[in-house]
Amino acid sequence: MSKQVNITLNGQNMSMPGDITVMQALKEQSIDIPAVCYHPSLGPIETCDTCIVQVNGEFVRSCSTFIHNGDVINTASEEVKKAQDIAMDRILYNHELYCTVCDYNNGRCEVHNTVKQMKIEHQSEPFTPKPYEEDNSHPFYRYDPDQCILCGRCVEACQDVQVTETLSIDWSLKRPRVIWDHGVSINESSCVSCGHCSTVCPCNAMMEKGMVGEAGYLTGLSKDTLRPMIELTKNVETSYSWIMPVSDMESAMREARVKKTKTVCTYCGVGCSFDVWTKGRKILKVEPQVEAPANGISTCVKGKFGWDFVNSKERLTKPLIREGDTFREADWEEALNLIKKKFTEAKETYGPDSLAFITSSKCTNEESYLMQKLGRGVIGTNNIDNCSRYCQTPATMGLFRTVGYGGDSGSIKDIERAGLVLIVGSNTSESHPVLATRVKRSHKLKGQKLIVADLREHEMAERSDLFIQPKAGTDLVWLSAVTKYIIDKGWADKEFIRKRVNGFKEYVESLKPYTMEYAEKITGVPKRQIIEIAKAVHEASSTCILWAMGVTQHLGGSDTSTAISNLLLVTGNYGKPGAGSYPLRGHNNVQGASDFGSMPDRFPGYEKVEDDDVRAKYEKGWGVKLSAKPGLNNHEMVEGIHNGNVKVMYIKGEEMAMVDSNINHVHEAFEKLDFFVVQDIFLSKTAQFADVVLPAAPSFEKEGTFTNTERRIQRLYQIFEPLGESKPDWQIIMEIANHLGAGWEYEHPSEIMAEAASLMPLYAGVTYERLEGYNTLQWPVAPDGTDTPLLFEEEFPFPDGKARLFPVQWTKPMEYEEEYDIQVNNGRLLEHFHEGNLTYKSKGITSKTPSVFLEVSPELAKERGLEDGTVVRLTSPYGSVKVPCHITDRVKGKEVYLPMNDSGEGAINYLTSSRADKDTDTPAYKEVKAKMEIIQQTGEDPLPRINHRRGNPNPQIGVQVEKKWARPDYIFPGDLVKKGALKRG
Amino acid sequence: MAKAITQVRRMELSEEEQRQRDLQEIEAMLIEHKESLQALMNVLDKVYKSGGMDLAVGLFDQGDRVLDVLVKAVDNPGAAKTLKNGLLLVGTLGQLDVEKLGPVIERMNSGLDQVAQWSEGDRSLAQILGKTNWKETLLFLLSFLKGVAETEKKQQKKGKTGWIATAGLSIAGFMFMKKKGWLD
């Protein structure tokens, strides 16, 4: 609670909250003052000096000056105007003004708008070119030093928001400029292509290449013609009052042909939303918005620049039917009739359970709903699953057991403000980049503590306050030891446990074996480090635990997730801001797919198939009889094909042939199917096994909703028409259902959502009107539209409202014969999404990361005689891969890391087994051991010189404007005005 | 049910079918917009007959080169100055208080009439001196010069010193010289 203070503003007395800046106070009163470098998501940067006003007679920058009681503020005097003009002059000295032929003339250029606002007619010092070339080296954006006004927004964003710490301004140069790392070209730096700099740049100095030459009516002119035009404009211009209206007219005209549409990113589970600017089918740029709830102005390389795949020539545009050993293009009618025939045959000959349906964690909620409705309501089977089983189902299980809801406890904002963030088995900065930036920023600037547990020293580990490297698959042990230590020390939140948790006594009993000594023995982590973790949790104001595949993709994945939740319950870290459990969802719609019943034993909203009342509700809602028998999950389907029970499969939007485990086994199963339908946007590896391939439309070409890892439901809007004859998945499913006699009549996805909302209490109040624009809802959503950003504030969704501590025991990881001595860790990369079906279509991304590579430790390289580029074969009991080496100390000893960005000989899943989490059948991807042999000693290093991992970041806090002020040629404009007054007076 | 395959055979018939579909689409569009198309045809006819069509084709065809030439031709100091002066003049027109100028011009005309009479008629000094209303004439000249001098002070900073004086005197001088026939 801040108290009010009294100030006088331009002669008027008023009362304002006491903790705001002068600039904020002026905004409150709708008083317009110029501000070029200030940005609401970056805070005050203090480099432009245009926001100068007088407070108590002194000149100050209004962005960084807080108001105090009794302040007298003047924004309208001659002197204030003089100071602001001086500041603007200095900006124009650095920026060549040619708005009408500038690609950034779209109404948002801060330089243009401020010149207009300040009614600047001339500049006192003419622009002179800087002694630097344009930097066009990077595939996605370019830097034009001649246009750079040195506001430092890009530096601020890179250092303190994205926290990759690549950019800085070299204030020691005669003409300062932005530099990458310590002064290399953009493409050779540590730049991760996240796009923040081009997003926040107030003018056209840092600009997306998609915009260059495309955005304006005249900007596409060749350089030879453009230069004289610019010169002419400058020689002829009498004052800027001419340039402004003409360029404003051109800017208004651009609205006619540049379309701006909101969408939600289709890549990872953070669920960034942004506007996409398009001209015809050309994508000009992705423009993040401050009001986007999950990400604000932040993006990563995929969301900002990874959209080449939408217009790729390899897109499927017509249905394909297998004939012999080729696919033949066919008409929709023929394909649909064939599907109808085969589905009906199988159903009548072998029964409904001989068909299996895989829906998608990448497609919309409405599409998942229709797929499970097709399987359950039209065919009559519960054989429905999707790829979320490959990742977070164990976490969902762990949370169902303990707190009742299988989703993140709060929002990304809660992670941002936690006192302690504990990351277990997650490479957050590469798998959930924008979410990681919040942690990095809080850690760098706000004193947030960070503890990381992982095999590999990735970026979050490097930044952490404490980094432990337990043996693979032993997390449950140290987590339980931490919990036991906290209870033994009397640090448990007794009030919370008493009021809100059941099962404490039995739980404490179950913890008996997990002493510090036992933990150290099993995990290999020194006792004192585990004790440090316990202390940190105890001392933190609030704790968020983030986890991902390092926890779930093990034989005991559900149990480890349960142990995490138990720890949070014991320490009272639920139901309050800045605390809770955060199993980070992989795909953009893992949460949504699960929410909408894409599993064999539950309907949408997680209600059980075996529950008679629930089934009756759906039978009434859909008008059909439904089966009470839970169906088969992914792995059970594969077994079912092998033993002849499953004859027909229909997969949409998933690359099961590459991302399931033990793919030799899966490929053999696909070859045995009687009839296989695959629906995708490319001829994926899975589609290559199909009998019928149906061309689908990606997120840019349809309407629908995604639900991100924050349980946040967001709408996406259609940007393009579907390419060729491809169709949105929901339309295709509907047509198949109707060919089978279903009689569905959906005209728009909003109708599908309305039907689902009427049947699922979790989404009861969700409507498309409530989700318009950037509005979102976090489930549970009550019928009146009230949503739930923070879970468990009042009670837990169990009959007595209390959570449950759930005792678990450690499951030993898979054991291998001695010859398999290399631990093959695996996972994601920042720039390629999973196997790369979408991202390899981007020339820019592929140029920087052209292939898969094996991270090998220096110790192992020395021992086995490996170099950068050596091609090795790894063989497990299940298969083998061939892959080139890259030596790095991110991995240690005999642990290697094989990322999953390959669909050929280097695909990790040739090595993984079919063993899985004992409770959910999530494959134990992380429990892989192999033996290694050298195939080719010398070869090219798989990571090219321009890969960002080879760069050298230059960490600092912000743009260090003090260095600018210390320059001999700098005088504060306020001082200059005072000097002038003295001279005249 | 089979091994993974990657070969795709494109639909052969589809090209012919595609053409048919495209033709049907265009046919429908033509019928829908019959009236505006007829009007457009009318205009195009006239443009064609006047040779405008050829001109336009040339312009678009060589658009880049034409623009290039145009811009380079204009890109010389003289041309830029002309354009600049032109724009300045237009801007300054806004500053002229033409209302007040009206009566002055009337007087200017009368003065010129007198000059004309003098140049074509009697050259008697005594006569002119006798006929003139000296007080009014002197007042007119002095107040005009007074205004110029005062404005000159105000305009020192903006560098537009004595514009009006120069303009006024040059107009007067010009008219004088023309009447005298010195400019033919």
Side-chain angles (χ1 to χ4, degrees):
Chain A
M1 266 293 110
S2 57
K3 59 183 188 66
Q4 302 280 100
V5 297
N6 295 319
I7 59 171
T8 310
L9 183 47
N10 290 341
Q12 272 201 8
N13 288 336
M14 56 188 64
S15 165
M16 290 258 149
D19 59 351
I20 60 174
T21 60
V22 174
M23 182 181 270
Q24 287 165 320
L26 293 173
K27 197 152 183 267
E28 260 289 300
Q29 292 298 313
S30 303
I31 295 181
D32 231 3
I33 51 157
V36 177
C37 66
Y38 178 81
H39 187 290
S41 304
L42 302 174
I45 307 179
E46 301 186 286
T47 44
C48 75
D49 294 343
T50 56
C51 68
I52 288 178
V53 296
Q54 272 175 312
V55 174
N56 301 331
E58 289 300 313
F59 290 103
V60 294
R61 295 180 187 89
S62 54
C63 60
S64 52
T65 310
F66 283 89
I67 58 175
H68 298 106
N69 204 24
D71 275 345
V72 175
I73 303 176
N74 187 334
T75 72
S77 72
E78 268 295 310
E79 299 185 315
V80 164
K81 180 92 181 44
K82 273 207 191 75
Q84 293 175 347
D85 281 349
I86 293 173
M88 200 59 205
D89 259 340
R90 293 177 182 176
I91 290 179
L92 292 175
Y93 169 64
N94 276 317
H95 179 91
E96 201 174 15
L97 212 61
Y98 49 72
C99 309
T100 313
V101 294
C102 169
D103 281 306
Y104 204 69
N105 180 31
N106 47 44
R108 290 184 218 193
C109 176
E110 296 290 349
V111 180
H112 175 108
N113 291 346
T114 315
V115 166
K116 236 178 25 180
Q117 180 191 16
M118 291 171 71
K119 299 200 184 16
I120 305 254
E121 297 281 317
H122 299 274
Q123 56 188 90
S124 67
E125 264 189 87
F127 162 79
T128 49
K130 328 251 173 92
Y132 313 114
E133 293 286 314
E134 224 181 78
D135 190 332
N136 264 302
S137 60
H138 194 277
F140 296 126
Y141 68 99
R142 69 114 184 78
Y143 175 61
D144 188 349
D146 273 346
Q147 299 299 103
C148 178
I149 61 173
L150 305 171
C151 67
R153 273 192 187 180
C154 55
V155 173
E156 187 67 36
C158 187
Q159 291 285 344
D160 295 343
V161 176
Q162 164 68 18
V163 200
T164 295
E165 300 170 319
T166 304
L167 297 186
S168 59
I169 289 183
D170 190 343
W171 295 112
S172 70
L173 297 168
K174 183 151 176 284
R175 294 300 292 275
R177 58 161 285 165
V178 176
I179 57 170
W180 278 255
D181 287 355
H182 297 272
V184 301
S185 76
I186 305 179
N187 216 20
E188 290 175 355
S189 69
S190 56
C191 167
V192 292
S193 320
C194 64
H196 278 81
C197 55
S198 52
T199 300
V200 298
C201 179
C203 63
N204 67 332
M206 197 82 83
M207 196 155 73
E208 299 86 349
K209 279 192 171 174
M211 290 282 279
V212 175
E214 295 282 346
Y217 283 97
L218 299 169
T219 60
L221 298 168
S222 76
K223 276 245 149 64
D224 291 334
T225 322
L226 192 61
R227 196 68 242 170
M229 271 191 95
I230 295 176
E231 292 302 327
L232 179 66
T233 321
K234 282 161 64 181
N235 285 332
V236 165
E237 60 94 3
T238 58
S239 76
Y240 293 145
S241 52
W242 275 97
I243 284 195
M244 293 293 120
V246 172
S247 52
D248 280 347
M249 286 192 309
E250 198 263 343
S251 164
M253 280 163 65
R254 292 189 191 189
E255 299 289 318
R257 62 177 198 166
V258 174
K259 188 168 154 207
K260 300 173 189 169
T261 325
K262 177 214 174 190
T263 189
V264 180
C265 188
T266 197
Y267 283 109
C268 87
V270 172
C272 298
S273 51
F274 34 71
D275 278 0
V276 184
W277 290 25
T278 52
K279 195 173 83 174
R281 263 202 96 97
K282 260 208 180 112
I283 299 170
L284 299 183
K285 71 167 168 175
V286 161
E287 177 85 338
Q289 306 290 312
V290 173
E291 69 261 27
N295 59 310
I297 54 159
S298 298
T299 44
C300 80
V301 56
K302 305 181 291 291
K304 176 83 179 176
F305 297 120
W307 300 98
D308 283 0
F309 77 86
V310 177
N311 289 322
S312 159
K313 293 210 163 27
E314 298 175 57
R315 279 278 303 275
L316 293 172
T317 52
K318 278 187 90 70
L320 302 175
I321 298 182
R322 177 188 292 256
E323 223 160 64
D325 59 357
T326 57
F327 283 113
R328 152 177 81 76
E329 280 186 346
D331 277 324
W332 273 102
E333 264 318 292
E334 190 192 341
L336 291 169
N337 283 328
L338 179 58
I339 293 173
K340 164 184 166 185
K341 179 159 163 275
K342 292 290 190 177
F343 277 20
T344 317
E345 258 171 36
K347 180 176 169 189
E348 284 168 4
T349 321
Y350 304 104
D353 287 326
S354 67
L355 292 95
F357 297 85
I358 302 274
T359 175
S360 172
S361 294
K362 219 155 209 29
C363 297
T364 63
N365 289 327
E366 294 76 5
E367 289 161 350
S368 278
Y369 180 79
L370 286 191
M371 186 64 123
Q372 59 90 35
K373 187 177 178 185
L374 173 68
R376 293 184 161 124
V378 178
I379 298 292
T381 175
N382 283 308
N383 292 346
I384 304 181
D385 208 353
N386 78 103
C387 71
S388 50
R389 185 166 305 275
Y390 299 144
C391 81
Q392 284 288 13
T393 312
T396 311
M397 173 66 81
L399 294 180
F400 270 164
R401 286 170 175 172
T402 49
V403 294
Y405 277 138
D408 285 8
S409 308
S411 315
I412 294 176
K413 292 217 160 36
D414 291 292
I415 300 177
E416 204 179 338
R417 64 167 81 126
L420 164 68
V421 169
L422 173 53
I423 301 181
V424 188
S426 154
N427 182 7
T428 327
S429 64
E430 293 199 58
S431 307
H432 296 87
V434 168
L435 196 149
T437 68
R438 300 331 191 219
V439 177
K440 289 195 279 185
R441 181 181 166 86
S442 295
H443 182 252
K444 179 177 182 182
L445 303 176
K446 315 263 175 79
Q448 182 181 73
K449 282 201 71 129
L450 177 60
I451 299 180
V452 172
D454 209 302
L455 295 188
R456 213 172 142 233
E457 189 169 4
H458 48 61
E459 187 185 341
M460 301 313 282
E462 277 177 10
R463 290 176 186 275
S464 63
D465 298 307
L466 172 60
F467 173 44
I468 63 169
Q469 294 179 286
K471 296 210 190 91
T474 60
D475 290 312
L476 187 147
V477 178
W478 67 263
L479 283 161
S480 304
V482 166
T483 319
K484 176 169 160 51
Y485 188 86
I486 289 177
I487 295 176
D488 289 345
K489 279 283 197 188
W491 294 342
D493 190 339
K494 303 188 187 58
E495 222 0 72
F496 184 85
I497 297 173
R498 186 180 64 81
K499 281 216 313 249
R500 307 196 60 186
V501 185
N502 289 327
F504 186 62
K505 268 206 7 239
E506 299 81 359
Y507 178 63
V508 174
E509 264 302 305
S510 75
L511 282 180
K512 275 225 166 76
Y514 296 98
T515 60
M516 281 296 163
E517 291 71 30
Y518 177 65
E520 184 175 72
K521 188 172 93 150
I522 298 289
T523 66
V525 177
K527 226 168 53 178
R528 80 186 146 71
Q529 286 191 326
I530 309 181
I531 293 176
E532 239 189 279
I533 298 181
K535 280 212 187 100
V537 175
H538 166 64
E539 288 167 4
S541 54
S542 62
T543 302
C544 285
I545 304 188
L546 281 55
W547 76 96
M549 309 298 97
V551 165
T552 58
Q553 290 175 343
H554 280 280
L555 296 184
S558 304
D559 288 346
T560 313
S561 307
T562 314
I564 292 177
S565 193
N566 287 334
L567 169 56
L568 291 165
L569 280 172
V570 162
T571 52
N573 276 306
Y574 270 116
K576 65 180 190 190
S581 52
Y582 293 85
L584 301 174
R585 304 287 159 168
H587 280 279
N588 55 312
N589 208 22
V590 166
Q591 185 67 57
S594 304
D595 293 346
F596 279 80
S598 311
M599 53 189 89
D601 60 340
R602 290 174 196 261
F603 281 106
Y606 302 100
E607 298 185 290
K608 290 206 164 151
V609 152
E610 292 172 300
D611 185 324
D612 293 328
D613 291 329
V614 171
R615 220 171 45 252
K617 175 172 72 169
Y618 277 91
E619 283 178 346
K620 184 153 168 261
W622 293 350
V624 288
K625 281 291 293 152
L626 294 171
S627 161
K629 194 173 106 185
L632 305 169
N633 65 36
N634 299 336
H635 271 195
E636 289 168 344
M637 289 177 192
V638 171
E639 295 315 310
I641 301 173
H642 275 294
N643 62 31
N645 292 333
V646 176
K647 302 282 188 194
V648 171
M649 209 161 182
Y650 175 19
I651 295 185
K652 79 164 156 78
E654 295 219 337
E655 181 69 303
M656 194 170 163
M658 295 315 299
V659 300
D660 200 345
S661 66
N662 197 354
I663 48 183
N664 282 319
H665 189 57
V666 176
H667 292 178
E668 282 161 14
F670 284 165
E671 289 172 7
K672 286 187 181 162
L673 280 168
D674 277 1
F675 188 64
F676 192 15
V677 180
V678 173
Q679 190 167 304
D680 207 302
I681 63 177
F682 292 113
L683 191 65
S684 60
K685 186 79 184 169
T686 310
Q688 289 169 17
F689 288 95
D691 294 291
V692 178
V693 181
L694 300 174
S699 60
F700 274 21
E701 295 172 3
K702 58 191 177 190
E703 303 256 321
T705 58
F706 291 146
T707 306
N708 77 349
T709 191
E710 296 171 303
R711 296 167 285 110
R712 188 186 296 277
I713 308 153
Q714 311 191 84
R715 255 187 91 169
L716 38 134
Y717 289 83
Q718 188 168 356
I719 303 174
F720 299 137
E721 285 301 310
L723 192 64
E725 288 183 49
S726 65
K727 298 186 193 200
D729 297 76
W730 64 270
Q731 279 178 9
I732 303 175
I733 300 172
M734 184 165 74
E735 288 186 22
I736 292 178
N738 287 343
H739 271 71
L740 292 165
W744 297 352
E745 287 172 340
Y746 305 107
E747 309 220 337
H748 188 265
S750 55
E751 294 171 19
I752 305 173
M753 178 59 88
E755 181 186 307
S758 71
L759 295 164
M760 323 162 44
L762 212 59
Y763 275 62
V766 177
T767 67
Y768 269 43
E769 288 76 41
R770 291 189 173 130
L771 295 172
E772 288 240 348
Y774 281 87
N775 292 321
T776 61
L777 294 165
Q778 286 170 275
W779 62 250
V781 182
D784 69 354
T786 323
D787 71 339
T788 323
L790 183 62
L791 291 176
F792 317 128
E793 281 186 283
E794 302 295 318
E795 56 173 28
F796 294 89
F798 289 114
D800 65 353
K802 288 173 149 195
R804 302 169 180 174
L805 285 163
F806 194 99
V808 285
Q809 296 300 323
W810 180 53
T811 309
K812 246 172 144 215
M814 277 171 68
E815 295 202 324
Y816 286 80
E817 308 282 317
E818 243 192 87
E819 50 173 331
Y820 301 106
D821 57 340
I822 308 283
Q823 173 80 30
V824 186
N825 192 4
N826 49 76
R828 283 185 179 181
L829 280 183
L830 167 68
E831 61 269 46
H832 280 293
F833 191 81
H834 283 199
E835 72 294 307
N837 282 0
L838 305 180
T839 47
Y840 274 119
K841 307 284 188 279
S842 163
K843 280 221 303 266
I845 293 179
T846 310
S847 72
K848 285 163 96 56
T849 312
S851 69
V852 72
F853 53 94
L854 183 71
E855 282 188 353
V856 163
S857 69
E859 312 85 84
L860 187 61
K862 194 154 166 246
E863 185 195 302
R864 304 284 176 102
L866 306 167
E867 306 157 14
D868 286 321
T870 305
V871 181
V872 296
R873 185 184 345 259
L874 290 172
T875 310
S876 81
Y878 307 96
S880 70
V881 298
K882 226 167 86 173
V883 67
C885 291
H886 174 73
I887 303 177
T888 164
D889 58 6
R890 280 191 290 272
V891 288
K892 69 182 201 311
K894 288 208 171 143
E895 293 166 357
V896 300
Y897 183 75
L898 182 58
M900 52 190 294
N901 60 313
D902 192 275
S903 295
E905 296 180 309
I908 174 62
N909 281 315
Y910 282 115
L911 298 178
T912 50
S913 71
S914 292
R915 300 287 306 280
D917 172 57
K918 61 181 172 54
D919 301 297
T920 60
D921 271 348
T922 294
Y925 293 104
K926 301 299 189 259
E927 298 186 5
V928 181
K929 293 188 92 160
K931 56 186 174 185
M932 179 193 281
E933 52 178 305
I934 299 181
I935 309 249
Q936 192 185 302
Q937 182 64 38
T938 43
E940 244 192 273
D941 192 324
L943 272 190
R945 196 172 46 88
I946 53 175
N947 187 285
H948 70 266
R949 291 171 183 81
R950 297 193 180 277
N952 298 296
N954 183 12
Q956 59 187 50
I957 298 196
V959 75
Q960 301 196 319
V961 66
E962 303 80 25
K963 291 208 175 133
K964 172 186 181 187
W965 297 338
R967 281 169 65 100
D969 62 357
Y970 178 82
I971 308 181
F972 181 54
D975 294 338
L976 212 53
V977 172
K978 260 202 286 211
K979 262 208 204 145
L982 287 171
K983 240 193 348 197
R984 269 187 281 113
Chain B
M1 133 131 109
K3 301 247 173 246
I5 53 177
T6 54
Q7 283 271 71
V8 176
R9 230 186 327 130
R10 304 275 158 202
M11 237 184 172
E12 269 160 28
L13 230 58
S14 79
E15 264 191 58
E16 188 48 47
E17 262 183 20
Q18 187 61 34
R19 223 183 123 70
Q20 285 302 321
R21 280 187 220 164
D22 283 341
L23 277 171
Q24 277 170 2
E25 224 182 294
I26 293 177
E27 203 178 46
M29 193 183 71
L30 285 172
I31 296 173
E32 198 186 322
H33 298 279
K34 195 170 93 161
E35 268 147 42
S36 49
L37 278 169
Q38 279 168 340
L40 183 65
M41 283 302 143
N42 231 334
V43 173
L44 274 176
D45 231 8
K46 297 194 163 49
V47 171
Y48 177 65
K49 291 207 176 95
S50 70
M53 203 68 106
D54 277 339
L55 193 69
V57 168
L59 203 62
F60 283 119
D61 195 47
Q62 299 296 319
D64 282 333
R65 277 181 61 195
V66 170
L67 188 61
D68 209 42
V69 169
L70 180 68
V71 167
K72 291 215 167 73
V74 180
D75 184 26
N76 66 71
K81 213 65 171 61
T82 310
L83 277 168
K84 180 170 186 167
N85 288 343
L87 286 169
L88 269 172
L89 270 172
V90 173
T92 322
L93 267 178
Q95 289 185 356
L96 267 179
D97 198 342
V98 182
E99 266 189 58
K100 296 216 178 89
L101 204 55
V104 175
I105 291 187
E106 253 194 77
R107 291 176 187 244
M108 278 273 177
N109 283 339
S110 318
L112 285 167
D113 275 340
Q114 287 291 326
V115 168
Q117 272 184 33
W118 159 76
S119 62
E120 287 157 17
D122 274 329
R123 300 182 74 85
S124 162
L125 194 62
Q127 272 207 330
I128 272 220
L129 281 171
K131 283 195 200 155
T132 311
N133 184 346
W134 282 108
K135 185 170 169 219
E136 281 301 315
T137 312
L138 276 171
L139 277 174
F140 170 78
L141 277 172
L142 285 172
S143 31
F144 184 74
L145 287 171
K146 180 176 176 228
V148 167
E150 279 174 359
T151 324
E152 187 166 335
K153 251 200 224 145
K154 258 196 258 156
Q155 282 176 341
Q156 243 160 23
K157 276 198 188 142
K158 295 230 170 149
K160 288 183 184 162
T161 316
W163 184 93
I164 293 179
T166 324
L169 285 171
S170 35
I171 288 177
F174 176 72
M175 302 237 57
F176 176 73
M177 289 190 277
K178 185 126 177 107
K179 284 281 172 182
K180 280 292 240 174
W182 290 353
L183 293 175
D184 291 336

